[in-house]
Amino acid sequence: MNLLSKAMVAALFATAVMPANAQNTAAVTPAAPAATLECGDDFATWKQNLANEARAAGVGEKGVSALANATLDPKVLERDRAQGVFAQTFTQFSERMISDYRLKHGAANLQKYGQYFTMAEQEFGVPGPVIAAFWALETDFGAVQGNFNSLNALVTLAHDCRRPDLFRPQVIPLITLIDRNVLPADVQGAWAGEIGQTQILPSDYLARGVDGDGDGIVDLRNTPADVILTTGKKIQSRGWKRGEPWIEEVRVPAEMAWEETGRTNKQPLSKWAAMGVTMRDGTPLKDTGLKAGIVLPMGRKGPAFLTYDNYDVYLEWNQSATYTLTAAHLAARLAGQPAFDRGNPDAGLTGDAMKALQQKLHDRGYDVGGIDGILGTNTREAIRQEQMRLKLPVDGWPTDELLADL
């Protein structure tokens, strides 16, 4: 997620989503200094300071009253600290998430709401399958939008000291939406405060909500047209490049300069072709003038993907490498591509063995983002650095051999 800084939130209000019968007459004034909102402070005092900031930003009494009634939700903190799903490998996670249900209903919705997907691509440059994939993964096309009180969730996470800067910028946008009758005070959504059929954060709802069906209201919980157009606009805002691909599955040779691979090591396709990389079916890569990295989610013997600049946008939506590659591949499936080739990867580390590896990397001075057993971006990069030092194939995949060598 690419959450906006607190200093940027006030600027969003001038272009906020509004219901058809509302007028935006409130002047926008600078927000109060961040120092007045220390995480973990007395909750009542903390809320009062936030209410003062909200009033200074133009929020009316209806929104401020909703904030006054907000309470801490311990279940939200439990969910925030228990995200073990991302400890699964890419093949485990993606094969569970890319279900027959999602493929079938994704194809049906692309047809059913074709005019809105076409509008989204014409206006924002984002293809329908990309939007539909997020719609599928986030809520099964609106079927499961979450049952957490959104304001309580955001207040809880903003007051908590684990990641306050990530969630605090979302509270005032949410009470602004409540104040303007766009959302009810008791609106429900995901545990982390996202709302609607593609789980949009309040700052995006406020700044990028699109009235897709022209009824004068942006309803991201019940109106597919609004969901599709708003999601397209959000994706575009993260840097999507019109007319360019996001991923393509490829076949890599048994031996190559593995240290050249990785999402951020983008090279011309002609260079990858010279190293022996081909399309999945063995045909030569076509040099389109674009650059791409090669992502090996299960190491050099598993599936392989060219990842273009548009793939980086997926990480702006969700910073989990496993989720982003799954979402990108689901979009490719909805666009007509086959399921990826699993290959024959070496057995990877999981559970306590993965935590032991992270501890060793941490002891060597690497920031692995926590000893949590999850192969995140930081852990994978640390593995690559150690593989290079140990003169092992640099594919970012944790194995028993690497653990023993460390």
Side-chain angles (χ1 to χ4, degrees), residues 4-207:
L4 302 177
S5 68
K6 180 181 173 185
M8 295 171 65
V9 170
L12 294 175
F13 300 151
T15 56
V17 172
M18 300 181 66
N21 60 353
Q23 292 182 345
N24 183 11
T25 59
V28 177
T29 57
T36 64
L37 289 174
E38 295 296 333
C39 68
D41 279 354
D42 173 74
F43 185 53
T45 303
W46 182 89
K47 281 202 300 180
Q48 184 58 56
N49 288 336
L50 185 55
N52 294 338
E53 180 182 327
R55 287 191 181 97
V59 180
E61 287 308 307
K62 181 175 182 178
V64 173
S65 177
L67 176 62
N69 292 326
T71 60
L72 297 175
D73 185 347
K75 292 183 179 180
V76 169
L77 296 181
E78 290 175 9
R79 291 292 295 273
D80 185 45
R81 286 152 173 74
Q83 298 188 60
V85 63
F86 293 120
Q88 297 175 350
T89 67
F90 166 66
T91 55
Q92 290 171 333
F93 184 81
S94 63
E95 290 178 354
R96 181 172 66 85
M97 299 298 285
I98 303 178
S99 62
D100 289 341
Y101 174 91
R102 287 172 172 160
L103 291 169
K104 177 181 177 181
H105 284 77
N109 282 325
L110 282 166
Q111 183 174 7
K112 181 177 181 180
Y113 302 108
Q115 63 173 320
Y116 300 115
F117 284 113
T118 298
M119 288 169 59
E121 184 160 14
Q122 289 174 343
E123 188 164 354
F124 306 117
V126 182
V130 174
I131 298 171
F134 283 121
W135 195 7
L137 291 175
E138 293 293 342
T139 67
D140 277 333
F141 309 104
V144 186
Q145 297 186 38
N147 57 3
F148 284 84
N149 179 292
S150 298
L151 184 52
N152 289 348
L154 285 175
V155 164
T156 299
L157 293 166
H159 182 260
D160 182 55
C161 286
R162 180 167 179 252
R163 297 184 292 171
D165 290 341
L166 192 65
F167 296 101
R168 194 170 64 205
Q170 301 301 323
V171 178
I172 293 179
L174 178 54
I175 62 174
T176 300
L177 291 164
I178 293 169
D179 190 60
R180 296 176 178 178
N181 298 315
V182 177
L183 294 172
D186 61 352
V187 61
Q188 293 188 335
W191 65 265
E194 302 98 337
I195 297 165
Q197 296 193 19
T198 53
Q199 301 289 267
I200 296 292
L201 284 164
S203 60
D204 278 312
Y205 201 136
L206 189 64

Side-chain angles (χ1 to χ4, degrees), residues 29 117 237 277 317-318 359:
T29 57
F117 284 113
S237 76
V277 179
W317 185 291
N318 187 307
Q359 185 64 58

